[in-house]
Amino acid sequence: MSKDLVSFIQDLYGTNGRIPLHEPFFDDRDKELLIETVDSTFVSSAGPLISDFEKKIAEYTGSKYSIAVVNGTAALQISLELSGVNSGDDVITQSLTFVASVNAILQCRASPIFIDVDKETLGMSPESLKNFLEEHCEIREKGCWNKKSRNYIKACLPMHTFGFPCEVEKLKTLCRKYKIKLIEDAAESIGSFVKKKHTGLFGDFGILSFNGNKIITTGAGGMLLTNNKKNAQLAKHITTTAKLPHKWNFDHDIPAYNYRMPNLNASLGITQFEKLPFLLKEKRRIANHYKDWGNHNGYYVKDESRNTTSNFWLNTLIAENKKQRDEILEDTNKALIMTRPSWTPMHKLPFNKKFQKGSLKNTNWLADRIVNLPSSARNVKN
Ligand SMILES: *Cc1c(COP(=O)(O)O)cnc(C)c1O
């Protein structure tokens, strides 16, 4: 059966050779501005292109403020820190995510709590979150008290999986009620919206990633989004060594990070951003091809959920069972087509086994069935 999928993908990308999962898309504009940037000598964390890129992202997403940093994980860590997450606190996240979400929590010396995802959105399930909070938590003066761990739950970190938005409005209502800060891991979802609002703008912070495998890339890079002026100023301050502005003096008021995105990377950000509308159109076209193929061949290929716009970053087939999933992975990879299963769920990683979790029924079900399909915008037929 999955032989059909092999020839379909080979036809889509016009080759019997290697087909990567997700290649970056570069053109002469990227190279030209990179050379100009090198010639300008401003290659590190000072330079005009960094704030230019920040402005473009703020304007596109509708975020009041945006702070460019070295990668998405750093953006997550800073968002958590500025949300008051400290050693001995709890942070709720989903188990079906890339390890960066959890690493950022652990970098703050906090404990993750793993909540189930929704089968339809692939993102954090509002119902599972509600069940967990009702069973284990008490709303106190100081915040959300976890009766089991005897810690405060300071933040909730849902993720928009593969670019498909989760039900973030419902999550927000729950977080408000329980006095929990909401941080959206929108690393995979630039160009994805809930109704007309860009992902990453629903909570206290949102973060984007510009890693080489995302829709647009700065090589490595990330962006913090927030509508709160004070948080934006603090984020800029602690990601730029907390240097106090002065013409020549080097004064710093707190220990801080060197997390500013370099100008060289921001150069790519500027020229990649110009291509975003084109890339989003291409992604939607590829997704439509996959969905048509799925409809004709009896496979479920993930589509947009109600009231959402997806960027279709990584197309996702949900196999009927683990056996079919494994067959698809075998057949496609043997034909040099790079398909991938979901990440190992976070609660199954050895260093995460000790942490609290809700029922993870959907997470385990999906982890046995997800197949990510090649989704590069390059060399794809019409
Ligand atoms: C890519 C990604 C990140 C951030 O990754 P960086 O490589 O640090 O930019 C975070 N979370 C998720 C879900 C991701 O896919």
Side-chain angles (χ1 to χ4, degrees), residues 71-73 76 97-98 100-101 159 185 187-188 207 209-211 213-214 221 313 343:
N71 57 50
T73 312
L76 281 174
T97 185
F98 177 55
S101 318
M159 199 270 281
D185 185 340
E188 306 179 351
I207 75 97
S209 167
F210 305 107
N211 196 336
N213 64 349
K214 302 301 199 297
W313 171 56
W343 313 279

Side-chain angles (χ1 to χ4, degrees), residues 2 5-15 17-23 213 282-291 293 301 312-317 328-329 331-333 335-341 371-381:
S2 48
L5 181 58
V6 167
S7 52
F8 172 77
I9 297 173
Q10 285 173 338
D11 190 38
L12 185 64
Y13 281 94
T15 176
R18 204 178 76 88
I19 301 173
L21 187 68
H22 199 285
E23 271 186 303
N213 64 349
E282 285 296 285
K283 305 291 270 179
R284 181 164 292 272
R285 202 163 61 76
I286 297 164
N288 285 335
H289 279 301
Y290 276 124
K291 284 184 281 177
W293 174 85
V301 177
F312 291 105
W313 171 56
L314 272 193
N315 286 284
T316 304
L317 182 154
I328 294 172
L329 290 171
D331 289 349
T332 47
N333 282 284
L336 306 179
I337 297 170
M338 200 173 156
T339 57
R340 287 291 178 265
V371 182
N372 287 126
L373 304 167
S375 300
S376 317
R378 271 171 70 114
N379 302 324
V380 99
K381 76 154 196 201

Side-chain angles (χ1 to χ4, degrees), residues 96-284:
L96 190 81
T97 185
F98 177 55
V99 73
S101 318
V102 179
N103 284 341
I105 297 169
L106 296 175
Q107 280 164 8
C108 294
R109 311 239 171 269
S111 304
I113 295 172
F114 299 111
I115 293 288
D116 209 0
V117 291
D118 186 89
K119 258 191 192 174
E120 160 64 24
T121 67
L122 312 180
M124 189 183 287
S125 153
E127 206 187 328
S128 303
L129 177 62
K130 184 164 179 274
N131 289 343
F132 182 90
L133 292 171
E134 281 175 358
E135 187 180 339
H136 296 290
C137 299
E138 190 178 291
I139 306 169
R140 287 191 177 176
E141 182 82 21
K142 275 175 66 189
C144 181
W145 175 251
N146 182 342
K147 290 179 275 187
K148 186 144 181 226
S149 68
R150 310 184 68 78
N151 294 333
Y152 281 100
I153 301 177
K154 289 278 182 71
C156 176
L157 182 60
M159 199 270 281
H160 301 289
T161 310
F162 310 135
F164 297 102
C166 66
E167 288 187 284
V168 65
E169 288 170 310
K170 287 187 188 165
L171 299 175
K172 182 179 177 158
T173 306
L174 283 165
C175 286
R176 276 246 177 93
K177 178 174 172 194
Y178 279 87
K179 302 184 183 177
I180 297 170
K181 299 271 191 213
L182 176 63
I183 302 167
E184 288 169 83
D185 185 340
E188 306 179 351
S189 65
I190 188 169
S192 299
F193 297 79
V194 176
K195 292 171 191 153
K196 293 275 175 281
K197 196 163 167 176
H198 197 279
T199 49
L201 295 193
F202 289 84
D204 299 273
F205 290 97
I207 75 97
L208 304 175
S209 167
F210 305 107
N211 196 336
N213 64 349
K214 302 301 199 297
I215 290 195
I216 59 169
T217 183
T218 58
M223 194 73 80
L224 233 129
L225 306 175
T226 180
N227 282 328
N228 181 302
K229 187 173 182 184
K230 191 164 151 261
N231 280 338
Q233 285 169 340
L234 279 171
K236 172 83 183 283
H237 194 57
I238 66 166
T239 54
T240 54
T241 68
K243 184 179 178 300
L244 301 172
H246 189 274
K247 271 187 223 151
W248 45 74
N249 288 344
F250 275 82
D251 273 315
H252 310 262
D253 57 354
I254 47 168
Y257 302 96
N258 175 22
Y259 277 178
R260 186 85 173 141
M261 176 186 284
N263 204 46
L264 196 54
N265 300 73
S267 166
L268 264 184
I270 299 279
T271 51
Q272 286 273 295
F273 178 75
E274 290 168 2
K275 288 181 268 289
L276 183 60
F278 161 76
L279 291 171
L280 288 171
K281 227 164 75 192
E282 285 296 285
K283 305 291 270 179
R284 181 164 292 272

